Amino acid sequence: IRDRASFDGVFAIESVCYAEHKKDFLIEARRLLRPGGSLVVSDGYLLPDQVPTRFRRDYQRFLKGLALDSLGGFDAFRQDLVECGFQDIDVLPLNDKIMRSAWYIELLSWIGLAVCAIGCTLRLMPKGWFDHGLAGISQRRLFANNIIQYAIFTARRSSTQP
């Protein structure tokens, strides 16, 4: 990729969750940004330190269906931004704004599961499609109960730090 400090902005939309180490992404984003450049990350974050027992099955289905090992923590991501030298950090929690879509995703996932169950049983479809449908069903409960927070983080690379 291009030389260091050559971009005015770095955007990540529902993708940082796939980074094994979120801080490595932030270090690379900072390296690419010009001093004063902006970072915008829109993603899901785990809110509690420990997923409550009654939501663990939903959380595991969500992870498996989206091929994730885990979600990064909301507070940990904010702290990583600070430690990586970002400033003017702002966060816009959006769970209340996405719930209508979460309901539609759940409904469509229930319909899709019926098709996938037959297709997967007959080995006409990969099992991953079924797992993805289960994730679609589980996601609404996780957002509605504040297990996962969908949010947009914005930050700026310091203009004074090297």
Side-chain angles (χ1 to χ4, degrees):
I1 229 167
R2 297 170 66 182
D3 294 334
R4 66 178 282 118
S6 58
F7 290 90
D8 292 324
V10 171
F11 298 86
I13 301 169
E14 297 180 6
S15 55
V16 176
C17 60
Y18 289 96
E20 187 175 347
H21 304 286
K22 312 316 182 225
K23 199 169 189 176
D24 290 345
F25 163 79
L26 294 173
I27 290 167
E28 182 63 9
R30 186 181 179 286
R31 185 186 76 80
L32 293 172
L33 284 170
R34 288 187 178 111
S38 297
L39 172 69
V40 179
V41 179
S42 173
D43 222 327
Y45 305 89
L46 190 61
L47 275 177
D49 291 335
Q50 188 77 20
V51 176
T53 303
R54 70 184 204 142
F55 294 107
R56 286 188 189 148
R57 187 168 97 176
D58 282 325
Y59 182 63
Q60 289 306 314
R61 283 179 170 174
F62 181 80
L63 294 177
K64 185 176 182 182
L66 296 178
L68 292 167
D69 292 328
S70 65
L71 279 181
F74 184 83
D75 291 332
F77 192 76
R78 184 191 314 249
Q79 184 59 38
D80 286 348
L81 283 164
V82 171
E83 290 174 10
C84 288
F86 285 94
Q87 60 187 32
D88 300 331
I89 299 165
D90 196 16
V91 62
L92 178 62
L94 293 171
N95 277 15
D96 60 329
K97 304 282 191 250
I98 66 162
M99 287 312 296
R100 184 174 182 182
S101 294
W103 279 104
Y104 286 126
I105 290 169
E106 181 178 14
L107 174 64
L108 293 173
S109 294
W110 278 111
I111 295 166
L113 275 181
V115 174
C116 285
I118 295 165
C120 292
T121 301
L122 297 174
R123 297 182 188 209
L124 300 172
M125 298 174 147
K127 184 178 180 314
W129 289 11
F130 188 82
D131 294 337
H132 193 71
L134 290 175
I137 290 167
S138 295
Q139 53 86 33
R140 183 198 51 82
R141 288 190 290 267
L142 295 169
F143 288 127
N145 289 284
N146 292 315
I147 305 302
I148 298 175
Q149 175 66 63
Y150 193 85
I152 299 175
F153 276 91
T154 59
R156 198 170 48 78
R157 180 182 169 180
S158 170
S159 353
T160 58
Q161 290 180 337

